[in-house]
Structures are given as structure tokens and as C-alpha cells.
């Protein structure tokens, strides 16, 4: 929901500051006579049952669009003052009681309601058919003329305009389709993502009557002032700015549009019927359209209950507002019901208002990075995330915080999918396309009976070209568009959570590109992935880390160094936790295969550190000293050629750099070694140590014999240059 900025109350100071703010001149101070006159015009049959996602309007001066919507998960008392948790819960319970009659989506109830109203159904069906029918006929002609690909962009624009004319349900439907690459070609995805939520306002008298009816008290008993006209309006409702009478706190009051529930219900009744026909007769669409319609309708109906939206905000704040740079505003439960939402009013500027943000001394890229990190936590840490991502729902506050607003549509990522996504990134980095294709089973993109063999070469063709750059240099939109083309060609059924989070990150990258054309969202995301891989004890991620570090029985030190470099950029990275999950597996009962690899690498590294130190000492000697010792050569007797010697020095230097990265990390403490020392006292660890010592002795003996017997110059296999 987007709102223009009118007040100057700081979100950080909440009500203690906003209480000091006098209401603007354009506010209406309510009197008994005005309220009585208004109540006389009320229509008791008006029932608003929508949750508005409000498009921002432009404030009169300076051209800055300031947002002010407030939705909170840290509960503030209904009077704006601090209250204990028990009173907060009671206020929330009262709000839930007021919302007890809120509608929920039920195909059966819609069928019962509209099955006996044929004239109303036919009239609306004709309106829909006249719009969508003309569009379908145009597509049919394009196909007959062989111009389907050529005119795809033109048709996408036409569809956007048609959906806008058809009203709120179809605007929402178009926005939902804009996140479904398995259903729509890229041109349609891009055009539908531009759908706007703005519709004409409805009379304020009806809105004020709705507030009184929902809260059960006169308006002048709640607010000392309220704007005479809405500050913003959208498909599902409109928003007013007000001051609470008791405390003077500035709030935003969101009121639902009259008759919206009936309009949406009728539309979904018709759309679901159309979905059944598509499932039966249209083979080109592989997804179950009825299931998709039901899923989307449930989300829209969730927006019809403002109490649910407040609870969504509370949960979101509990999970993610623990970071000092993330702000989630507060709900005033005593003045909230199913159709009215009273929220804290926060100063903020839309995230795509770069000039306005910079005038506050802030940087768009810093705010976008905060958004990316929070989005990754939403997707991969807790799984509960904002399902309506667009610039109007993200505000930059004067304090430099990123405020999240409008919690009508939320979604969740299943736990198994969170780890599968990180594993998918690892497989992409390793260019393991067979494993990437199999990941789509775990991600529920494909049913188990689908053969992924034909998909592997498509992934290889796309990623071999894309991955010519490093992962941090990839353009996220290019990656999403490429995957979208693959999803569209094959029988993928992309889960809603995945499509929504891709859209969220794409939107954030798009915002950043305005400020820096070279910005890459994957570069900003990589520190989070690196931290999770290095520190998360989950077995799936632990195996993914091992898979990333070992290839062909050989340890890739450059990968570990890169992970540490990137992981340290995440402020939550802890050196104490790094690699602990792998260490536990190494010394555990199931770690024999890993121990074999580690013994080989430990021998190699120990040899490099010991002999590398000897090499450095030798090379630091003056020429006459080297001449006295070994005839002045730059290669020691234990090495057969200079390239082998250089490889050992390079490995030693890399290991030293990695140790330096760990030591210079935040929260580093020598006690980090204590768990290692403890496990080294275990029998399995002692056996492992004996195997390493034996291996080192064998290597040194082999080198000595090599010199004595003057074997041909070949570098030992264990001293190969690190890839």
C-alpha cells in the first residue's frame, strides 16, 4: 500500500513523538453536528469486505511521493501508549471477535450463492467475455497469420489494459500471473508486473459509516481529526490520515471498498468455471488452472480480513525486525476490525524515489542491500515472507531504515525447499546440471514421474553461456528470464512461493540498477549463501558445502577462500561457527569417506606448510650462502623442478590467507580452537592424526628416495597446483 507523506512523525520514536505533532490544516475536526449529519447519510446495507493495497499519490510540493502506511507486528496499545503484553493480547482478541464474520474463500459457498442468480452471472460473464474474448480472438488471428511471436509484446500491453478495465479481481489476477513464468511468456510477465492498483475513490461518507459500524463507536470518539478525503485509493479500499483522540498519535486508517466482496466473489466464481474448461480442453497449459485459481483466490480473500493482516505484520516483525535497519510499523488493535485497519503513521519515501532518498543523505544501494538480505532471510531462514513485493511497499525512513508495509498477502516457503534452493545454487556454481535437474523434484517443480533427461541439455546450453561470468557478476533478471523460458517450455509447475521471491529479488535489482547500472543482486546475495554454507549444521547444507569444496577427490582451497571472503561480508558471520558442521561429520561415525579425503589433503597441506617454510628460508639466503649449501640453485634438492616448488608455495600462501581471514573475522576468539582440541582427544581423531603423520612421513621419504635414485622430474600427484 502506498501513501503520500503528510506527517513528520518518526517511525523510530513511535507515538511519543507523533503525539507532539499538531494536525495539518486540511484535517477535519469532528463535531457532534457533523457526525450526526454524516450518520444520517449512512447506508446500513453497505458491507465493505476488502483489504486495500493502496497506490501512492503525489504530495503537492516538490514532487516527492512519500509513503505512510503502517502495519505492525510489535503490538502497541489501542490508545497509542505502552501496554503490557497481556493487555495487548486482549486488545487483539477483541479485534478478532469483531472480525469473526470475515469472509473466507470457499468454492462451494460461491457456487451456492451465485448458482441461483443467473441474470447477475450472465451480465458479468458478458462483460468479461467482451474483454477477454476480443483478446483471445486477436491471439487466434496472430497464430493463423504466423505473427504470434512478432506481436507478443503488443498483445501483452493489450492484456494489461483489458485487465485494468475489468476491475479489482482482474488487476489482482494479472499481478498474480506476473509471477508465474510457467504460465506466461517473458513479455507478458514484464507487462503484467506494471499493473497498477489505482481505482476511483468511493464517498468518504460511506467510509466513515463503515468505521463507526465496524468499531461500534462514533467516529469523533476515536479520532480528534481525520482527512476529509482519502489520501490514496486502490482496488480494494482507500486510506485516510487521522489523529487518535486520546493520545494524539498520527495514524493511517485503511477502509475497505463497499461491495468489493460480492464483486470479487462473483468474478472468482466465473474464473473458476473457466479454469475447469481450460483443464478439460486446452492441452497447451500443463498446470492445473483450477488449483491455481483457488490458491490465488484464497490469498485475495486473506486481504479481506484486516485483523489477519495485522497478525501477519506482528509475525513478520517478530521474525525480521530484530535487525536495527529493518522497520515494521505497529497496529492499533482497539481500532481495527475485518474492514478497518488503524496503523501507525511512518515517514518514508518510496524506494524508487532516488532523488528524494538522496536528499535525505541516504543511498539507494544501501537500502536495497538491506532489502535483499531481509528477503533472503524470509525465503531461506524462516520461510515466512512478504508476498506482494513492489517499490510502493518498501519505504526509506529518514533514519536510514527500510520499512516494510502492507501485509495483506504473505506466503511461506516449506522447510525442505529452503535447503533445496541453497543446494540448487551450489549445483549451479559447480555446473552440475544433472543435479540441478533433480533438484526440481525436491523443489516440487516437477512430479516424480517426469523424466528430467531432456531438461539437462537445455540447462547446460543456458548456463554454460551465462556462467562465463562469475556468480557474483550475473545479472539476476537475465537468470530469471532464462529460467522462465525453460519453465515455460517444459511441464514445470512453479510453486507460488518461489515465483514470488524471484519477483521480489528482481524488483530490488531493478531499483538498484537505477542508482548503479553495474549492480548485481547475486553479488549482494552471495555473502548470505556463503555464511549459511559455512555455519549451518543442517545435514543438507553440510553435504552441499562438502560437494562445493571437494571435486574428484581433491580439495578446492580457492572455493573455501572465496566462501570466507564472501561470508565475512555478512555481519552475522561468526568465525567460531565456520566449518564446525563439517568437523562434526569428519569425526562422526558416518565420516569415513570424508576422512579419507581429509587425510590426503592434510598430508598435502602439512607438507606445503613445512617445506614451504624451508623454501622461503632458503630463497631468503644471499646468493653466496645458497652457493655454499646447494650450488646456488633456486630449487631445493627435495624438489625436482621449480614449478613444483612454486605450487607448494602457492598452496602454503593460500592456507595462510584462509587462516588470516578466520582470525580477522568478527567475534574471533582463540577459544574457537577449543572444540577442535576437544574432539582431537577422541579415539577417531587420534587415528586420523596418526594417518596424517604416517602420510607426511611417507611423502618426505618418497622425496628423499627420489633425490637419491635421481628419478625423472615428475611432480608428485599430491602437490598439483590448486584449481
Amino acid at each position: 500500500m502506498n501513501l503520500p507523506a503528510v506527517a513528520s512523525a518518526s517511525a523510530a520514536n513511535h507515538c511519543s513523538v507523533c503525539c507532539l505533532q499538531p494536525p495539518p490544516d486540511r484535517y477535519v475536526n469532528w463535531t457532534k453536528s457533523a457526525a450526526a449529519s454524516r450518520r444520517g447519510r449512512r447506508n446500513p446495507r453497505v458491507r465493505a469486505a476488502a483489504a486495500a493495497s493502496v497506490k501512492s499519490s503525489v504530495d503537492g510540493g516538490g514532487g516527492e511521493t512519500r509513503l505512510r502506511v503502517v502495519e505492525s507486528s510489535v503490538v502497541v496499545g489501542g490508545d497509542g501508549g505502552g501496554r503490557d503484553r497481556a493487555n495487548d493480547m486482549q486488545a487483539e482478541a477483541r479485534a478478532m471477535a469483531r472480525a469473526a464474520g470475515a469472509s473466507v474463500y470457499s468454492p462451494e459457498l460461491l457456487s451456492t450463492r451465485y448458482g441461483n442468480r443467473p441474470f447477475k452471472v450472465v451480465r458479468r460473464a458478458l462483460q468479461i467475455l467482451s474483454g477477454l474474448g476480443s483478446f483471445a480472438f486477436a491471439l487466434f488471428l496472430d497464430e493463423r497469420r504466423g505473427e504470434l511471436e512478432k506481436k507478443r509484446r503488443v498483445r501483452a500491453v493489450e492484456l494489461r489494459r483489458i485487465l485494468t478495465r475489468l476491475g479489482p479481481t482482474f488487476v489482482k489476477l494479472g499481478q498474480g500471473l506476473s509471477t508465474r513464468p510457467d504460465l506466461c511468456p517473458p513479455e507478458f510477465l514484464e507487462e503484467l508486473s506494471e499493473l497498477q492498483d489505482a481505482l476511483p475513490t468511493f464517498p468518504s461518507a460511506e467510509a466513515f459509516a463503515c468505521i463507526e459500524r465496524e468499531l461500534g463507536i462514533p467516529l469523533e470518539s476515536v479520532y480528534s481529526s481525520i482527512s476529509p478525503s482519502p489520501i490514496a485509493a486502490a482496488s480494494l479500499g482507500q486510506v485516510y490520515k487521522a489523529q487518535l483522540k486520546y493520545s494524539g498519535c498520527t495514524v493511517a486508517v485503511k477502509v475497505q471498498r463497499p461491495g468489493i466482496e460480492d464483486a470479487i466473489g462473483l468474478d472468482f466464481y466465473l474464473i473458476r468455471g473457466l479454469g475447469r474448461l481450460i483443464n478439460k480442453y486446452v492441452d497447451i497449459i500443463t498446470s492445473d488452472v483450477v488449483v491455481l485459481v483457488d490458491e490465488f483466490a484464497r490469498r485475495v480473500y486473506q486481504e479481506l480480513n484486516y485483523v489477519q493482516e495485522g497478525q501477519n505484520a506482528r509475525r513478520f516483525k517478530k521474525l525480521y525486525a530484530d535487525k536495527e535497519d529493518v522497520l515494521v510499523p505497529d497496529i492499533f488493535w482497539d481500532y481495527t476490525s475485518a474492514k478497518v485497519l488503524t496503523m501507525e503513521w511512518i515517514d518514508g519515501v518510496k524506494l524508487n524515489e532516488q532523488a528524494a532518498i538522496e536528499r535525505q543523505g541516504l543511498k539507494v544501494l544501501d537500502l536495497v542491500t538491506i532489502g535483499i538480505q531481509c528477503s533472503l532471510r524470509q525465503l531461506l531462514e524462516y520461510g515466512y515472507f512478504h508476498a506482494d513485493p513492489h517499490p510502493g511497499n518498501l519505504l526509506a525512513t529518514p533514519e536510514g531504515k527500510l520499512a516494510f508495509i502492507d501485509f495483506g498477502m504473505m506466503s511461506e516457503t516449506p522447510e525442505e525447499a529452503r535447503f533445496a534452493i541453497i543446494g540448487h545454487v551450489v549445483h549451479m556454481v559447480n555446473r552440475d546440471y544433472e543435479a540441478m535437474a533433480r533438484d526440481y523434484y525436491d523443489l516440487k517443480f516437477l512430479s516424480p514421474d517426469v523424466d528430467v533427461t531432456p531438461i539437462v541439455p537445455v540447462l547446460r546450453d543456458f548456463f554454460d553461456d551465462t556462467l562465463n561470468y562469475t556468480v557474483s557478476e550475473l545479472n539476476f533478471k537475465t537468470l530469471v528470464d532464462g529460467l522462465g523460458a525453460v519453465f515455460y517450455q517444459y511441464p514445470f509447475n512453479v510453486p507460488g512461493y518461489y515465483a514470488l521471491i524471484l519477483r521480489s529479488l528482481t524488483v530490488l535489482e531493478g531499483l538498484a540498477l537505477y542508482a548503479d547500472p553495474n549492480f548485481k543482486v547475486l553479488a549482494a546475495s552471495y555473502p548470505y549463501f556463503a555464511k549459511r554454507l559455512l555455519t549451518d549444521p543442517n545435514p543438507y547444507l553440510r553435504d552441499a558445502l562438502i560437494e562445493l569444496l571437494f571435486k574428484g577427490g581433491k580439495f578446492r582451497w580457492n572455493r573455501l577462500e572465496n566462501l570466507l571472503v564472501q561470508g565475512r561480508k555478512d555481519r552475522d558471520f561468526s568465525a567460531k561457527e565456520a566449518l564446525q558442521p563439517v568437523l562434526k561429520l569428519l569425526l562422526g561415525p558416518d565420516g569415513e569417506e570424508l576422512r579419507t579425503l581429509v587425510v590426503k589433503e592434510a598430508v598435502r597441506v602439512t607438507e606445503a606448510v613445512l617445506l614451504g617454510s624451508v623454501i622461503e628460508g632458503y630463497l631468503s639466503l644471499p646468493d653466496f650462502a645458497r652457493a655454499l649449501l646447494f650450488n646456488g640453485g633456486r630449487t631445493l634438492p627435495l624438489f625436482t623442478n621449480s614449478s613444483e616448488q612454486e605450487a607448494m608455495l602457492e598452496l602454503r600462501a593460500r592456507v595462510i590467507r584462509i587462516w588470516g581471514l578466520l582470525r580477522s573475522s568478527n567475534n574471533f576468539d582463540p577459544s574457537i580452537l577449543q572444540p577442535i582440541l576437544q574432539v582431537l582427544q577422541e579415539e577417531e581423531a587420534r587415528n586420523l592424526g596418526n594417518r596424517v603423520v604416517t602420510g607426511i612421513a611417507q611423502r618426505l621419504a618418497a622425496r628423499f628416495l627420489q633425490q637419491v635414485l635421481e628419478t625423472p622430474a615428475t611432480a608428485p600427484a599430491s602437490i598439483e597446483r590448486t584449481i
Side-chain angles (χ1 to χ4, degrees), residues 262-331:
D262 188 54
I264 287 178
L266 177 57
D267 284 345
F268 277 122
Y269 171 74
L270 292 168
I271 294 170
R272 195 173 191 275
L274 179 62
R276 288 198 299 268
L277 295 177
I278 291 174
N279 283 347
K280 187 173 182 179
Y281 297 109
V282 181
D283 296 332
I284 191 173
I285 297 179
T286 57
S287 300
D288 188 329
V289 178
V290 171
V291 171
L292 294 176
V293 170
D294 287 344
E295 176 186 344
F296 184 72
R298 288 189 186 94
R299 295 188 186 281
V300 174
Y301 266 74
Q302 286 175 6
E303 287 194 81
L304 303 183
N305 185 348
Y306 283 175
V307 172
Q308 179 63 56
E309 181 174 345
Q311 292 172 328
N312 292 343
R314 171 169 45 78
R315 181 181 176 189
F316 189 90
K317 187 165 190 173
K318 180 180 179 181
L319 293 177
Y320 307 117
D322 57 330
K323 305 301 179 185
E324 61 183 13
D325 46 17
V326 174
L327 175 65
V328 178
D330 292 326
I331 301 294

Side-chain angles (χ1 to χ4, degrees), residues 318-635:
K318 180 180 179 181
L319 293 177
Y320 307 117
D322 57 330
K323 305 301 179 185
E324 61 183 13
D325 46 17
V326 174
L327 175 65
V328 178
D330 292 326
I331 301 294
F332 293 81
W333 291 108
D334 281 335
Y335 310 126
T336 294
S337 71
K339 302 178 179 69
V340 176
L341 181 60
T342 301
M343 308 166 288
E344 177 193 10
W345 187 280
I346 291 182
D347 265 334
V349 179
K350 281 199 306 183
L351 211 56
N352 59 356
E353 297 274 344
Q354 182 179 348
I357 290 174
E358 291 178 349
R359 279 196 291 271
Q360 297 186 29
L362 306 175
K363 295 181 180 179
V364 173
L365 292 182
D366 292 342
L367 293 160
V368 169
T369 300
I370 294 171
I372 290 171
Q373 295 299 314
C374 188
S375 294
L376 291 171
R377 291 185 71 205
Q378 291 175 52
L379 173 66
L380 301 175
E381 202 161 320
Y382 297 106
Y384 185 69
F385 67 92
H386 202 291
D388 188 18
H390 62 74
N393 285 339
L394 299 171
L395 313 183
T397 71
E399 298 80 18
K401 296 185 178 184
L402 182 66
F404 284 79
I405 59 175
D406 194 356
F407 300 90
M409 294 184 72
M410 307 296 290
S411 189
E412 296 197 49
T413 308
E415 183 178 12
E416 61 274 12
R418 299 176 216 161
F419 302 119
I421 291 171
I422 297 178
H424 195 61
V425 172
V426 171
H427 295 148
M428 181 183 72
V429 172
N430 285 342
R431 303 195 185 203
D432 188 347
Y433 303 121
E434 288 81 5
M436 283 183 69
R438 291 193 298 271
D439 287 339
Y440 296 131
Y441 294 134
D442 295 330
L443 291 168
K444 310 300 182 187
F445 284 21
L446 296 170
S447 60
D449 59 338
V450 174
D451 182 14
V452 297
T453 304
I455 301 173
V456 174
V458 178
L459 293 173
R460 181 178 291 109
D461 291 343
F462 173 69
F463 282 104
D464 276 347
D465 180 55
T466 304
L467 294 178
N468 284 333
Y469 304 95
T470 64
V471 173
S472 62
E473 293 175 334
L474 283 176
N475 180 290
F476 190 73
K477 187 176 186 305
T478 300
L479 190 63
V480 172
D481 289 346
L483 285 174
V486 175
F487 294 162
Y488 184 66
Q489 294 173 19
Y490 291 90
F492 283 89
N493 183 22
V494 179
Y497 69 83
Y498 187 81
L500 287 167
I501 204 68
L502 288 182
R503 180 188 175 193
S504 176
L505 293 175
T506 303
V507 166
L508 288 169
E509 182 176 60
L511 291 170
L513 289 175
Y514 283 109
D516 179 6
N518 296 317
F519 181 86
K520 299 294 185 293
V521 72
L522 287 177
S525 305
Y526 201 47
Y528 177 86
F529 281 96
K531 180 204 70 174
R532 288 291 301 275
L533 283 171
L534 288 170
T535 62
D536 199 304
N538 180 272
Y540 191 102
L541 297 187
R542 181 193 62 198
D543 293 344
L545 175 62
I546 293 171
E547 182 181 345
L548 186 66
L549 296 179
F550 285 92
K551 184 177 183 180
K554 188 173 181 180
F555 191 84
R556 296 186 282 190
W557 288 95
N558 62 321
R559 287 282 175 86
L560 177 59
E561 183 179 7
N562 187 44
L563 284 174
L564 287 170
V565 168
Q566 295 296 329
R568 289 173 72 246
K569 296 178 182 178
D570 190 292
R571 65 184 180 187
D572 295 330
F573 176 77
S574 171
K576 188 173 183 179
E577 298 176 1
L579 302 177
Q580 290 296 317
V582 176
L583 180 63
K584 291 179 181 179
L585 173 64
L586 175 66
L587 301 176
D590 300 324
E592 178 57 36
E593 183 178 353
L594 180 61
R595 284 193 289 272
T596 301
L597 295 174
V598 169
V599 166
K600 179 181 177 181
E601 197 62 32
V603 170
R604 180 168 172 255
V605 170
T606 304
E607 184 183 46
V609 171
L610 293 176
L611 295 185
S613 299
V614 174
I615 295 169
E616 276 197 346
Y618 173 70
L619 294 178
S620 66
L621 294 174
D623 291 341
F624 74 88
R626 290 204 303 271
L628 290 175
L629 292 175
F630 299 111
N631 299 322
R634 292 188 61 82
T635 304

Side-chain angles (χ1 to χ4, degrees), residues 26-253:
R26 60 173 166 167
Y27 280 13
V28 174
N29 290 313
W30 292 99
T31 63
K32 292 183 178 180
S33 59
S37 173
R38 218 181 355 79
R39 286 195 296 271
R41 295 194 299 269
R42 259 189 289 181
N43 180 356
R45 293 178 296 175
V46 172
R47 294 185 66 237
S53 176
V54 181
K55 181 180 182 292
S56 65
S57 59
V58 179
D59 202 357
E64 294 183 15
T65 303
R66 294 192 160 220
L67 296 177
R68 320 265 284 163
V69 179
V70 187
E71 300 161 23
S72 147
S73 61
V74 171
V75 183
V76 177
D79 60 358
R83 298 168 64 181
D84 59 36
R85 181 58 186 160
N87 287 340
D88 291 335
M89 293 178 65
Q90 292 175 7
E92 183 179 349
R94 290 192 294 270
M96 292 175 64
R98 287 191 291 270
S103 298
V104 294
Y105 176 69
S106 169
E108 293 77 16
L109 289 178
L110 291 182
S111 179
T112 301
R113 178 181 300 173
Y114 298 109
N116 297 322
R117 304 170 72 179
F119 293 109
K120 186 171 186 176
V121 170
V122 170
R123 184 168 60 251
R124 180 57 175 165
L126 290 176
Q127 292 174 348
I128 297 172
L129 287 175
S130 64
L132 296 181
S134 62
F135 174 75
F137 183 69
L139 286 181
F140 172 75
L141 292 179
D142 290 344
E143 186 177 13
R144 293 292 299 269
R145 297 167 182 167
E147 298 178 341
L148 198 59
E149 297 290 332
K150 178 182 177 182
K151 291 191 174 182
R152 184 173 284 176
R153 173 67 62 181
V154 174
R155 299 306 175 206
V157 174
E158 289 180 2
L159 180 60
R160 174 174 58 82
R161 292 172 178 169
I162 289 170
L163 294 179
T164 302
R165 288 197 301 268
L166 286 175
T169 307
F170 288 88
V171 168
K172 290 290 184 184
L173 185 61
Q175 290 173 336
L177 287 174
S178 71
T179 67
R180 301 305 303 248
D182 54 333
L183 296 180
C184 297
E187 294 85 353
F188 282 81
L189 294 176
E190 186 174 340
E191 199 63 38
L192 292 176
S193 67
E194 297 181 8
L195 276 168
Q196 299 297 314
D197 246 354
L199 284 179
T201 63
F202 59 90
S204 292
E206 295 186 17
F208 298 152
C210 179
I211 294 173
E212 291 187 329
R213 184 170 58 252
E214 287 292 306
L215 301 183
I217 51 179
L219 198 67
E220 64 271 19
S221 298
V222 181
Y223 311 111
S224 60
S225 62
I226 191 167
S227 54
S229 59
I231 292 176
S235 58
L236 301 183
Q238 57 196 35
V239 174
Y240 296 83
K241 186 181 175 205
Q243 275 192 324
L244 293 179
K245 184 172 183 179
Y246 178 75
S247 64
C249 288
T250 307
V251 294
V253 185

